Amino acid sequence: MRTIKTCIFDLDGVICDTAKYHFYAWKTLADRLGIIFTHKDNERLKGVSRMESLEILLSLSDKIYTTGEKLVFAEEKNKNYVDYITKMGKDEVLPGVTEFLEYCREQGIKTALGSVSRNAETILKRLKLEPYFDAVIDGTKVVNAKPDPEVFLKGAAETGAKPEECVVFEDAFTGIQAAKAAGMPAVGIGDAKVLSNADFVIRGFEELRGEQLIARIRQF
Ligand code: BG6
Ligand code: MG
């Protein structure tokens, strides 16, 4: 039976549906640049850093852009994205998330945020979820984006757990690759067809009660 000391949560698409705001903001930029950008293309951007996401988006075009232009594009996308997230409220926490965080607290299971977003603090504040996390590892604290395991290994270290005593909750294929590279089991949040590398997939935290979810993870 597996011991679980820390639950590590991705942010975008797991705690809240900011994945859609990332998409809208990239899409606005893509439209301006005349690049066709679909939801399918957007899947490849999940869990990936801002600049790497931009590179993927620009790879859909034949044009070559300078580093200066790329920095302007990334800034433009982020400004658009920040406009969305600064309007967010507590009601945008995904169903079942707060209850599961509370369950972890009651059970003495530590909680960490493991996101490569540089906007994570702003979002946690808007959602009033800061008090629920023992550690917040975000894009300002890591050098390598997912699928590198750095973000999750830091979450484990900061909460005093060994990698095998952690479990990761992720909505991105790349994020699950990062969890695996860290030696951690991973629960996919979303579509089982997309998250084929997860140990198991749920549609959302409202699907199972805290004790059921933890009991299932302990059996991995
Ligand atoms: C991840 C998202 O959480 O953060 C990616 O899944 C995003 O889509 C990345 O590119 C970086 O986010 P930000 O907020 O720093 O631009
Ligand atoms: Mg995500």
Side-chain angles (χ1 to χ4, degrees):
M1 198 72 112
R2 183 182 285 279
T3 305
I4 302 165
K5 288 196 181 163
T6 301
C7 286
I8 309 182
F9 301 83
D10 172 48
L11 175 68
D12 296 318
V14 169
I15 299 284
C16 50
D17 192 13
T18 29
K20 72 175 179 236
Y21 298 140
H22 276 296
F23 175 73
Y24 299 155
W26 284 124
K27 179 90 177 109
T28 303
L29 176 71
D31 287 350
R32 188 176 77 69
L33 298 177
I35 297 172
I36 296 165
F37 180 65
T38 64
H39 278 284
K40 191 156 179 261
D41 298 321
N42 189 54
E43 275 307 313
R44 293 168 58 205
L45 271 48
K46 290 187 179 171
V48 178
S49 73
R50 194 180 307 164
M51 289 313 286
E52 285 171 88
S53 299
L54 176 67
E55 291 294 348
I56 296 172
L57 187 137
L58 295 180
S59 74
L60 302 168
S61 147
D62 297 334
K63 282 204 191 138
I64 305 289
Y65 294 98
T66 65
T67 307
E69 283 171 321
K70 288 178 187 174
L71 289 172
V72 172
F73 295 159
E75 182 64 35
E76 183 182 328
K77 181 267 171 178
N78 192 53
K79 212 169 157 289
N80 195 350
Y81 179 65
V82 169
D83 280 347
Y84 286 111
I85 61 171
T86 47
K87 291 187 194 95
M88 287 175 83
K90 221 174 156 343
D91 57 319
E92 286 194 63
V93 178
L94 285 169
V97 169
T98 310
E99 292 79 356
F100 185 65
L101 288 167
E102 276 165 0
Y103 176 77
C104 290
R105 276 271 182 274
E106 279 162 30
Q107 298 298 311
I109 298 170
K110 301 256 188 214
T111 53
L113 191 85
S115 165
V116 299
S117 171
R118 301 179 78 87
N119 292 299
E121 288 281 3
T122 307
I123 296 170
L124 283 190
K125 258 192 208 126
R126 297 290 319 164
L127 301 178
K128 306 217 179 321
L129 285 181
E130 285 171 302
Y132 289 96
F133 289 94
D134 298 300
V136 175
I137 315 297
D138 64 15
T140 65
K141 297 191 185 154
V142 293
V143 177
N144 305 299
K146 300 163 188 176
D148 190 283
E150 183 185 1
V151 65
F152 296 141
L153 291 174
K154 285 201 166 141
E158 225 176 272
T159 53
K162 296 192 194 106
E164 64 272 24
E165 295 167 338
C166 298
V167 56
V168 170
F169 297 93
E170 257 293 346
D171 73 317
F173 189 88
T174 326
I176 292 164
Q177 283 179 312
K180 296 286 154 190
M184 301 176 187
V187 177
I189 309 290
D191 185 343
K193 277 195 231 104
V194 176
L195 305 174
S196 54
N197 53 348
D199 289 282
F200 76 86
V201 179
I202 53 174
R203 299 281 341 168
F205 285 94
E206 77 280 28
E207 219 174 81
L208 293 170
R209 287 202 314 276
E211 63 266 32
Q212 294 172 313
L213 186 50
I214 292 293
R216 198 152 162 201
I217 298 162
R218 284 210 172 106
Q219 286 163 12
F220 289 172

